[in-house]
Amino acid sequence: MANFLAILMLVSFWVSFISGQNPGLEAPYRIHTLFSVECQNYFDWQTVGFMHSFKKAQQPGPVTRLLSCTEEEKKNYKGMDLAPTLEVPSMSRHPKTGDWYPAINKPAGIVHWLKHSKDAQSTDWVVILDADMILRGPIIPWELGAEKGHPVAAYYGYLIGCDNILAKMHTKHPELCDKVGGLLAMHIDDLRVLAPLWLSKTEEVREDRAHWGTNITGDIYGTGWISEMYGYSFGAAEAGLRHKINDNLMIYPGYTPQPGVEPILLHYGLPFSVGNWSFSKLEHHEDGIVYECGQLFPEPPYPREIKLMEPDPNKRRALFLNIECINTMNEGLLLQHARNGCPKPKWSKYLSFLKSKSFAKLTQPKLLTPPRMQTEVAKEVKEINESIRPYPKIHTLFSTECTTYFDWQTVGLMHSFHLSGQPGNITRLLSCTDEDLKQYKGHDLAPTHYVPSMSRHPLTGDWYPAINKPAAVVHWLNHVNVDAEYIVILDADMILRGPITPWEFKAARGRPVSTPYEYLIGCDNELAKLHTRHPEACDKVGGVIIMHIDDLREFALLWLLKTEEVRADKAHYATNITGDIYESGWISEMYGYSFGAAELKLRHLISNEILIYPGYVPKPDVKYRVFHYGLEFKVGNWSFDKAKWREVDMVNKCWATFPDPPDPSTLEQTDENELQRDLLGIECARTLNEALRLHHKRRNCPEPTVLSNPALDTTKDIANSRKVGRFSKTDDIESNPVPRNHSQESSEPKVRDGLFSTLRFWIILLWVFSGLGFILVMLAMCSGYTSKGSSKGKSNKSRRRSYTGFLKTNGRDWQGRKSDA
């Protein structure tokens, strides 16, 4: 009997293995996965990638594509066989209001599935994903902690409407509004209650045009495009569902994962890059790549190239995720082409890699069960010799104004933020007057909190833009429900090179961390005695600040008040008192910070290893986390001074970049200190230019070869994916405490002109041929008249001589005219 049972178990194992199921992943409950698409090529290639990754990840249970199409679209649609499909009536054009809003098809499709699909009657758990996702491992709701009444979801921090009037208007339970989306795993009974509410609340928010403003919804376009996301959150609040929010399951390629965390879902809703290679799904909106034999997305770098490219292990891991995403999609396309009957593609190095065992090993399912997560975290902790503990949440802030000068700085900072692996979210505090805001074009450059401008003080009339920084922080704290434990405050004119975390730099409650600003001599003289009761607690710090949220809540208003106080004390503006070389009170905000902190006796841990100014000699073996390019810096004859670009619109002029710095290979190798200094300067400038190039690419600027107008305004960007929700010192003198000589080079924006574009080339060529044709016609006419005027009795030889002489004479004349010209 025992032998029989053993044989039966073995046969069962091999049957499950041959059928493609993983015996270790057998689900005790029934799971069904849903994703929503429309009848477009754009969604077809996403479907191919999604379905291929679904199978590779060994996701338990069936999957259904909810396909929303009009009858007209279905007539020409070719992709019915790409996935198990339930056809759903399209609501892109609302049948009652006529409103065009394709995103509503997601909740409408789920309602339709619940009513008309037999699968909905035999399912316990539902996993809802987006088409632009790649699964890396199975998503098993109960293993992630999902319970009835408590779905699991990813965090969408930009849904600020959960914290303001929007939630109060659209749900009776605003306190239950969770900022979630992307990945949803819930019990079928919860979904039955939620789905109709999700749809009705989406319609409700969509119709509430009076509250579409970015400061209310967080929608960077102010067009109600993320109404469906609010429909979900408000519907869930109405249903009394509280989510278990997991920040580690899903990651956008281009972002750096937390140490010890293995994401199981890649959401490629944002552009991402590896070296000079990049990918943006919006560039393939009309791409019929599914139906074009042999066509794949551009191949990314190989893993061995990434190992040489990036020494930092965590950043390297992020780059591996980037290439895994696109390689998985290309592998899926190859298999789909074979199913379409395409001929076998020719051998190539890249195809060989996709079929290799090494690639199969790299993309094997990531089984993130709790024991494995604990094992991986323990391994990571062992490597960095720290005790096992959850890291606190971090939120990064920076302050700007409504000018193109701050816009290009914002582009640089945001690009570096995504590359750096900085944990948590980031918010731009944008201080603008109502008049400035009407003309402003840069709403989509960063997740933004809008702040009334205090550049012109509302009471005193004093013009002092630097006060916007503390004023904006106060406004943000009073208007946003902050869920982070630590706040990192930066300036816009900074480039992040690595994460700035409280646990690494030992920040604590009552013990903020900052960088040294030694020129704040007022901390040591009568200025501190005049403006704080605790001058002995005055720290000369600024630039980068890491502070506990509770400290910031107590401190922020003092920062603002002390800034006003020092700014009003004109009797003590002198350089020998303040260190301000302009004696204009321009660094009052910095003293406001130091004196405000002293009032609370907040003593800082001062680190010299966080920030460096490009142009300064770095300390050996220090990995600085921030470039602060507030001062002019030079590399040989090349130089960069941000002040020279104050009036230049680098963001809205296609392909505008700064002058390229020298190639590192051209640098002198004799002095190691100077070499390292120059390498850092080059890195800073290159990062800024790379950020601008990617920005112009995202704005769909015409390719440089066909660009005819270098001043082309690209602010009318195409509509981004509905899944991409996004959503310093304010003056040079403040950031330039030490006077420097200006660059000797001209600093004009480098804009590629299309003078010799294809169209112009052919026009010029046509003009040249027309001119030559005219000359030949004139020569022929003249030769005819000469022949008629000759004597009929002359010999042919004489006539030939006369013709030749005419040509010679005219040839000399033409040469002479050519010389004059």
Side-chain angles (χ1 to χ4, degrees):
M1 185 64 180
N3 290 339
F4 175 76
L5 287 174
I7 293 170
L8 188 63
M9 290 175 64
L10 188 62
V11 169
S12 175
F13 173 86
W14 281 108
V15 167
S16 64
F17 181 82
I18 292 168
S19 65
Q21 297 177 353
N22 189 328
L25 293 179
E26 189 175 349
Y29 302 103
R30 297 164 297 180
I31 305 173
H32 201 107
T33 303
L34 301 175
F35 69 105
S36 174
V37 301
E38 298 161 40
C39 285
Q40 299 173 11
N41 288 340
Y42 178 60
F43 285 105
D44 283 357
W45 62 255
Q46 294 178 37
T47 296
V48 168
F50 181 95
M51 288 303 302
H52 179 59
S53 70
F54 179 91
K55 294 168 186 173
K56 281 178 73 84
Q58 300 179 5
Q59 173 69 7
V63 61
T64 297
R65 173 180 64 162
L66 305 176
L67 182 64
S68 302
C69 301
T70 64
E71 292 301 321
E72 193 62 33
E73 287 172 330
K74 275 197 289 187
K75 291 177 184 177
N76 301 312
Y77 184 60
K78 298 181 287 186
M80 281 297 182
D81 62 341
L82 296 179
T85 300
L86 176 68
E87 294 182 41
V88 178
S90 175
M91 277 189 66
S92 295
R93 179 74 65 190
H94 198 282
K96 293 182 180 179
T97 65
D99 178 39
W100 176 258
Y101 184 55
I104 201 172
N105 285 314
K106 186 175 181 179
I110 290 170
V111 169
H112 191 274
W113 179 78
L114 287 169
K115 287 182 178 178
H116 297 92
S117 174
K118 292 181 181 179
D119 290 329
Q121 309 305 318
S122 59
T123 297
D124 300 308
W125 293 91
V126 181
V127 175
I128 302 172
L129 304 174
D130 291 334
D132 57 345
M133 290 179 171
I134 295 294
L135 283 80
R136 305 182 70 232
I139 301 170
I140 303 173
W142 56 90
E143 288 190 356
L144 300 177
E147 302 173 283
K148 195 171 180 179
H150 295 281
V152 167
Y155 181 61
Y156 273 8
Y158 53 84
L159 297 178
I160 59 174
C162 275
D163 303 324
N164 60 36
I165 190 174
L166 198 67
K168 294 175 184 176
M169 292 185 68
H170 293 290
T171 173
K172 292 175 288 185
H173 306 289
E175 73 283 358
L176 300 183
C177 184
D178 291 327
K179 294 182 269 190
V180 294
L183 159 68
L184 304 169
M186 68 177 64
H187 197 275
I188 186 69
D189 294 342
D190 293 335
L191 186 61
R192 292 187 193 283
V193 176
L194 167 66
L197 288 168
W198 185 357
L199 177 57
S200 63
K201 289 295 176 183
T202 298
E203 294 174 310
E204 193 179 301
V205 177
R206 182 68 184 168
E207 291 172 9
D208 185 11
R209 296 175 182 270
H211 295 91
W212 278 7
T214 305
N215 61 325
I216 296 176
T217 63
D219 179 0
I220 56 173
Y221 301 102
T223 58
W225 203 250
I226 57 175
S227 300
E228 173 267 316
M229 298 183 184
Y230 279 114
Y232 177 86
S233 292
F234 296 158
E238 287 292 281
L241 298 178
R242 294 313 306 265
H243 293 80
K244 294 186 177 182
I245 302 173
N246 195 317
D247 240 353
N248 298 326
L249 298 175
M250 185 185 82
I251 193 170
Y252 288 90
Y255 285 31
T256 303
Q258 296 277 7
V261 171
E262 189 72 76
I264 57 173
L265 195 62
L266 303 177
H267 189 182
Y268 55 90
L270 301 173
F272 58 96
S273 61
V274 179
N276 294 324
W277 176 92
S278 65
F279 178 83
S280 171
K281 71 172 188 175
L282 294 177
E283 294 178 356
H284 302 276
H285 208 282
E286 305 299 327
D287 205 329
I289 196 168
V290 172
Y291 310 105
E292 297 171 0
C293 292
Q295 295 299 309
L296 303 176
F297 294 116
E299 63 182 73
Y302 292 93
R304 63 176 178 275
E305 295 174 319
I306 289 177
K307 289 178 182 177
L308 298 173
M309 187 185 304
E310 179 53 64
D312 183 270
N314 214 39
K315 288 185 183 178
R316 189 164 62 236
R317 208 157 62 94
L319 297 181
F320 280 138
L321 290 176
N322 293 358
I323 65 169
E324 180 183 331
C325 177
I326 199 72
N327 285 334
T328 302
M329 284 198 285
N330 276 341
E331 186 183 30
L333 285 169
L334 278 173
L335 295 173
Q336 183 60 42
H337 290 162
R339 287 191 290 271
N340 292 348
C342 290
K344 187 176 180 180
K346 294 180 180 179
W347 183 92
S348 70
K349 180 182 175 182
Y350 181 57
L351 293 184
S352 179
F353 167 71
L354 291 181
K355 296 176 181 179
S356 67
K357 291 182 180 179
S358 59
F359 176 68
K361 186 176 180 181
L362 287 171
T363 56
Q364 62 187 359
K366 310 299 184 291
L367 308 179
L368 285 188
T369 55
R372 169 163 180 165
M373 291 179 72
Q374 292 171 9
T375 302
E376 289 187 352
V377 172
K379 182 179 178 182
E380 184 74 18
V381 167
K382 185 178 180 182
E383 290 176 355
I384 59 177
N385 295 319
E386 290 186 0
S387 60
I388 299 176
R389 62 181 178 84
Y391 289 128
K393 282 190 174 182
I394 303 173
H395 199 108
T396 303
L397 300 177
F398 68 104
S399 172
T400 70
E401 299 166 38
C402 283
T403 66
T404 56
Y405 176 61
F406 282 105
D407 283 355
W408 64 254
Q409 296 176 37
T410 298
V411 168
L413 178 56
M414 288 303 300
H415 173 67
S416 67
F417 176 86
H418 294 315
L419 294 178
S420 68
Q422 175 69 2
N425 296 317
I426 186 169
T427 297
R428 171 180 63 164
L429 306 177
L430 185 63
S431 302
C432 304
T433 64
D434 291 339
E435 196 58 36
D436 288 338
L437 208 53
K438 291 176 184 176
Q439 309 297 326
Y440 185 61
K441 301 176 182 178
H443 297 283
D444 61 338
L445 297 179
T448 301
H449 177 75
Y450 294 84
V451 182
S453 174
M454 276 189 66
S455 295
R456 179 74 65 190
H457 198 284
L459 299 178
T460 66
D462 177 39
W463 177 258
Y464 184 53
I467 201 172
N468 283 313
K469 186 175 181 179
V473 172
V474 170
H475 191 277
W476 181 74
L477 289 169
N478 288 330
H479 290 82
V480 174
N481 185 14
V482 183
D483 61 353
E485 189 176 344
Y486 281 91
I487 309 299
V488 175
I489 302 175
L490 305 175
D491 290 337
D493 57 344
M494 289 182 174
I495 294 293
L496 276 166
R497 305 179 69 232
I500 304 169
T501 59
W503 52 87
E504 182 176 358
F505 293 100
K506 311 302 181 188
R509 175 77 164 94
R511 195 71 166 169
V513 170
S514 191
T515 52
Y517 272 11
E518 294 297 336
Y519 54 85
L520 296 179
I521 59 174
C523 274
D524 302 326
N525 60 36
E526 61 190 275
L527 197 66
K529 295 174 183 176
L530 280 166
H531 293 290
T532 174
R533 294 169 298 171
H534 307 289
E536 74 285 352
C538 184
D539 291 327
K540 293 181 276 188
V541 294
V544 176
I545 299 160
I546 311 171
M547 185 176 287
H548 195 279
I549 184 65
D550 294 338
D551 291 333
L552 188 61
R553 291 187 194 283
E554 294 179 28
F555 160 72
L557 188 57
L558 279 169
W559 182 6
L560 175 59
L561 294 175
K562 290 295 177 181
T563 298
E564 293 176 309
E565 189 179 305
V566 176
R567 179 70 181 167
D569 185 10
K570 296 181 184 290
H572 294 90
Y573 275 8
T575 303
N576 64 324
I577 295 176
T578 63
D580 179 0
I581 57 174
Y582 301 99
E583 298 189 342
S584 60
W586 206 251
I587 57 175
S588 300
E589 175 270 317
M590 297 185 182
Y591 279 114
Y593 178 89
S594 292
F595 295 159
E599 285 294 283
L600 296 176
K601 292 187 176 181
L602 286 176
R603 299 311 304 267
H604 294 76
L605 288 171
I606 303 174
S607 174
N608 290 302
E609 299 186 353
I610 298 177
L611 178 148
I612 188 171
Y613 287 89
Y616 282 31
V617 175
K619 292 181 179 178
D621 302 322
V622 173
K623 186 175 181 181
Y624 295 98
R625 306 304 170 88
V626 174
F627 287 134
H628 190 183
Y629 55 89
L631 304 175
E632 180 192 15
F633 60 98
K634 299 180 179 181
V635 179
N637 293 325
W638 176 92
S639 67
F640 180 81
D641 183 356
K642 71 169 191 174
K644 293 188 176 182
W645 303 88
R646 180 178 290 278
E647 304 300 330
V648 182
D649 189 349
M650 304 296 294
V651 172
N652 298 313
K653 291 179 181 176
C654 273
W655 306 115
T657 56
F658 300 111
D660 285 324
D663 190 284
S665 62
T666 64
L667 298 179
E668 289 287 338
Q669 307 285 328
T670 52
D671 189 309
E672 182 63 23
N673 287 335
E674 291 183 1
L675 175 62
Q676 294 305 318
R677 175 200 65 193
D678 291 347
L679 287 173
L680 290 180
I682 291 171
E683 180 187 336
C684 179
R686 282 185 167 180
T687 304
L688 279 171
N689 274 343
E690 180 63 19
L692 286 169
R693 277 190 282 268
L694 290 173
H695 165 77
H696 295 314
K697 191 172 183 179
R698 285 192 295 269
R699 288 292 180 93
N700 293 297
C701 279
E703 288 300 321
T705 53
V706 296
L707 183 63
S708 58
N709 182 7
L712 181 65
D713 189 332
T714 65
T715 54
K716 293 184 179 178
D717 197 1
I718 66 170
N720 269 326
S721 163
R722 62 190 171 95
K723 302 304 171 196
V724 186
R726 294 188 286 271
F727 335 71
S728 128
K729 294 291 180 225
T730 51
D731 196 277
D732 269 329
I733 300 174
E734 182 178 337
S735 296
N736 287 266
V738 183
R740 289 288 195 94
N741 294 327
H742 285 293
S743 166
Q744 296 176 355
E745 278 196 2
S746 171
S747 296
E748 292 298 325
K750 186 179 67 177
V751 183
R752 297 175 178 88
D753 198 338
L755 181 61
F756 295 104
S757 66
T758 305
L759 181 61
R760 290 190 176 190
F761 173 79
W762 286 111
I763 290 173
I764 292 169
L765 196 63
L766 181 62
W767 180 81
V768 170
F769 276 112
S770 298
L772 289 173
F774 175 78
I775 291 171
L776 289 173
V777 170
M778 291 303 296
L779 286 174
M781 289 177 65
C782 290
S783 65
Y785 286 129
T786 304
S787 299
K788 288 178 182 179
S790 301
S791 172
K792 292 183 179 180
K794 288 185 179 180
S795 66
N796 290 337
K797 183 177 180 181
S798 299
R799 277 183 285 182
R800 282 196 297 272
R801 278 201 200 108
S802 173
Y803 183 68
T804 306
F806 174 81
L807 283 179
K808 287 182 178 178
T809 304
N810 279 274
R812 286 193 298 271
D813 182 57
W814 182 81
Q815 289 290 345
R817 290 179 187 175
K818 184 178 178 183
S819 300
D820 290 340

